[in-house]
């Protein structure tokens, strides 16, 4: 009886693993999703929003160094593989296929066109909230 339980448990686990693996999107589908969802544009908009908030009198060499540092840590080339892994481990093949299909409809096209300004606006909200927090934390004189 004990052996039967072990065999059945092993079969259930292997079936569940097989079902998950066949539902897991491949790299090509993930790449297609990242393009359809305009993640590269969103990443660029986020970095641009950060740079826009810098003091206007920032010396050009400091500005260039900061842009370089941001690109190396938060830019598309620095994060795309990690993002692809996150997408692959979060969404099923069917979910990505459905999103890609949606992205080709009029509503999906409209949605995609708004991703970049939305990302930029969200970045500005976060930056402003951080600035407000720093002001609130400063002791009043």
């Amino acid at each position: 009886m004990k052996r039967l339980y072990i065999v059945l448990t092993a079969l259930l686990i292997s079936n569940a693993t097989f079902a998950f693996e066949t539902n897991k999107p491949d790299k090509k589908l993930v790449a297609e999703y990242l393009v359809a969802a305009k993640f590269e544009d969103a990443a660029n908009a986020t970095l641009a929003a950060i740079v826009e908030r810098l003091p206007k009198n920032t010396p050009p060499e400091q500005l260039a160094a900061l842009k370089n540092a941001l690109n190396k840590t938060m830019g598309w080339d620095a994060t795309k593989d990690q993002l692809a892994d996150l997408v692959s481990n979060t969404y099923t093949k069917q979910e990505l296929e459905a999103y890609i299909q949606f992205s080709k409809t009029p509503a999906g096209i409209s949605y995609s066109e708004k991703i970049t300004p939305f990302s930029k606006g969200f970045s500005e909200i976060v930056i402003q909230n951080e600035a407000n927090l720093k002001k609130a934390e400063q002791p009043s004189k």
Side-chain angles (χ1 to χ4, degrees):
M1 183 70 166
K2 192 174 185 179
R3 277 190 231 164
L4 179 62
Y5 176 74
I6 292 171
V7 169
L8 287 175
T9 301
L11 281 173
L12 287 173
I13 290 171
S14 66
N15 283 341
T17 302
F18 177 75
F20 177 75
E21 289 301 319
T22 58
N23 241 349
K24 192 170 175 120
D26 61 22
K27 290 183 181 212
K28 182 180 177 191
L29 184 62
V30 170
E32 187 178 352
Y33 167 77
L34 292 174
V35 170
K38 298 189 180 240
F39 274 100
E40 183 174 3
D41 293 344
N44 291 336
T46 299
L47 294 181
I50 293 169
V51 170
E52 284 177 18
R53 300 290 294 202
L54 295 173
K56 300 298 178 206
N57 61 350
T58 303
E61 61 278 355
Q62 282 184 341
L63 187 59
L66 182 58
K67 285 181 181 179
N68 187 39
L70 287 171
N71 278 321
K72 283 184 176 181
T73 58
M74 298 170 46
W76 178 246
D77 288 336
T79 60
K80 68 182 173 186
D81 291 338
Q82 294 166 313
L83 185 57
D85 287 344
L86 180 61
V87 167
S88 180
N89 292 318
T90 303
Y91 300 108
T92 65
K93 178 181 177 182
Q94 291 78 13
E95 290 167 335
L96 295 185
E97 288 171 342
Y99 178 84
I100 292 166
Q101 185 177 3
F102 166 73
S103 74
K104 296 174 182 176
T105 67
I109 291 168
S110 176
Y111 181 89
S112 293
E113 289 173 350
K114 295 172 184 170
I115 290 290
T116 299
F118 181 86
S119 295
K120 184 178 178 186
F122 180 66
S123 297
E124 290 170 358
I125 289 169
V126 170
I127 291 166
Q128 187 60 51
N129 287 350
E130 181 185 22
N132 291 343
L133 180 63
K134 285 180 182 177
K135 287 179 189 175
E137 289 175 344
Q138 291 178 352
S140 55
K141 295 180 181 182

